[in-house]
Amino acid sequence: MDDITRFYRQTSPTSRLGRHDHLVPGLPHDPEALGAVVRGLLVHDSAVSGLPADRRAHREAVGAEPILDNVLGLDPAPLIRARPAERRMVGFCYHFALLHCALLRAAGVPARIRCGFASYFAAGLWSDHWVVEYRDDSGWVLTDPQTGRHNLTVDDFQDGPTAWRLCRAGGAESRSYGNGDLWGWDELRGTLINDVAALGKVEVSGWYWCERLRVEPLDQPHDELDGSLDTLARLAATATSAGAIREIFDRYPDLHPPEGAIAC
């Protein structure tokens, strides 16, 4: 087992199950079966409406332990038991991916969450999205625990560095990458940062804390900032050891999420 594989078998502060470790025995070890377990515990916020403030606040949770606090606070049944939608925690793709990754690591499966862009939500567009990458005998496998899609290809999903480098090289249009009302370079920058951070097991969704990214206009290239991010993307795409992966994000302390950051 190489050091990268060992690195991603180990937990992180955000993927630690903590007081819920005792709930892991009895869960399936198969990665796709664990993805189905996650879908029985969470519901995407786009599928529900009219929620009270305390339920809406669940989508700000960062970390597997608080996610499971919310899940079990709504329904204390064993995790293997799928809840009806009204008793599932409301979250978004980040929560599906992080909880799936945490359960995989708890089962001894090397796994990491990836922030990038998926092509299967809107024709001709790449939508900001979190998925999971796990290691099996064939290598790294991309899977989407929110939708149940698995064995994702480069036609389905582009991770942060891949999308960034493709757009910077002129191989794709930046305006085709984004989410909701936000498209273009700001989304590409933020997704790159999220993905590189997650590769180093700093697994927080959002980049609103990054003062450095607040350049105007947000959806246009910025020579100084984007040149720096080119280096970040290149380092992330070419790292060949766990040590190198850990060191990459450390070079950019102004991009690190602050203590107490919420998911967004």
Side-chain angles (χ1 to χ4, degrees):
M1 184 183 297
D2 61 38
D3 71 328
I4 289 181
T5 302
R6 284 192 294 270
F7 179 60
Y8 289 117
R9 283 187 68 179
Q10 298 163 355
T11 191
S12 63
T14 37
S15 66
R16 189 175 299 126
L17 299 180
R19 57 184 157 272
H20 305 301
D21 274 338
H22 67 286
L23 301 176
V24 173
L27 292 178
H29 282 213
D30 175 73
E32 300 305 331
L34 275 176
V37 169
V38 170
R39 288 191 293 281
L41 303 175
L42 307 179
V43 61
H44 196 276
D45 60 2
S46 65
V48 293
S49 60
L51 292 170
D54 59 335
R55 293 287 304 282
R56 290 197 304 272
H58 287 177
R59 74 182 306 282
E60 298 178 352
V62 172
E65 188 173 26
I67 289 173
L68 288 180
D69 285 343
N70 293 334
V71 166
L72 295 167
L74 292 168
D75 189 327
L79 300 184
I80 195 69
R81 186 178 304 168
R83 279 76 163 150
E86 64 272 14
R87 292 207 302 275
R88 297 179 191 175
M89 178 191 137
V90 175
F92 60 101
C93 53
Y94 162 77
H95 297 100
F96 286 81
L98 182 60
L99 183 56
H100 189 205
C101 178
L103 295 177
L104 285 167
R105 289 175 181 167
V109 179
R112 56 199 184 192
I113 62 174
R114 302 303 306 261
C115 188
F117 298 91
S119 64
Y120 44 82
F121 290 108
L125 298 174
W126 290 89
S127 301
D128 186 9
H129 194 50
W130 289 86
V131 299
V132 169
E133 198 170 30
Y134 64 85
R135 186 74 179 254
D136 67 10
D137 292 340
S138 66
W140 288 101
V141 179
L142 277 170
T143 188
D144 183 349
Q146 177 193 319
T147 65
R149 290 173 175 263
H150 59 278
N151 291 323
L152 302 178
T153 70
V154 292
D155 294 324
D156 302 315
F157 182 82
Q158 294 175 6
D159 59 47
T162 296
W164 177 262
R165 299 176 83 191
L166 185 63
C167 289
R168 287 283 285 168
E173 291 285 349
S174 63
R175 63 177 178 268
S176 298
Y177 292 76
N179 198 20
D181 295 328
L182 303 174
W183 297 85
W185 288 107
D186 185 46
E187 282 286 315
L188 284 157
R189 293 178 188 118
T191 298
L192 171 64
I193 289 168
N194 280 341
D195 195 37
V196 176
L199 285 173
K201 298 201 291 194
V202 179
E203 298 143 334
V204 181
S205 172
W207 59 90
Y208 60 90
W209 55 78
C210 293
E211 293 288 339
R212 191 177 176 196
L213 296 194
R214 295 181 183 177
V215 294
E216 295 293 344
L218 286 173
D219 63 346
Q220 297 298 315
H222 185 279
D223 290 344
E224 184 276 328
L225 173 59
D226 294 345
S228 178
L229 295 181
D230 286 342
T231 302
L232 177 68
R234 176 180 55 79
L235 291 171
T238 58
T240 57
S241 70
I245 290 168
R246 285 193 297 266
E247 290 170 5
I248 291 168
F249 205 54
D250 289 343
R251 298 188 183 193
Y252 297 79
D254 53 342
L255 303 181
H256 291 200
E259 191 72 26
I262 62 173
C264 67

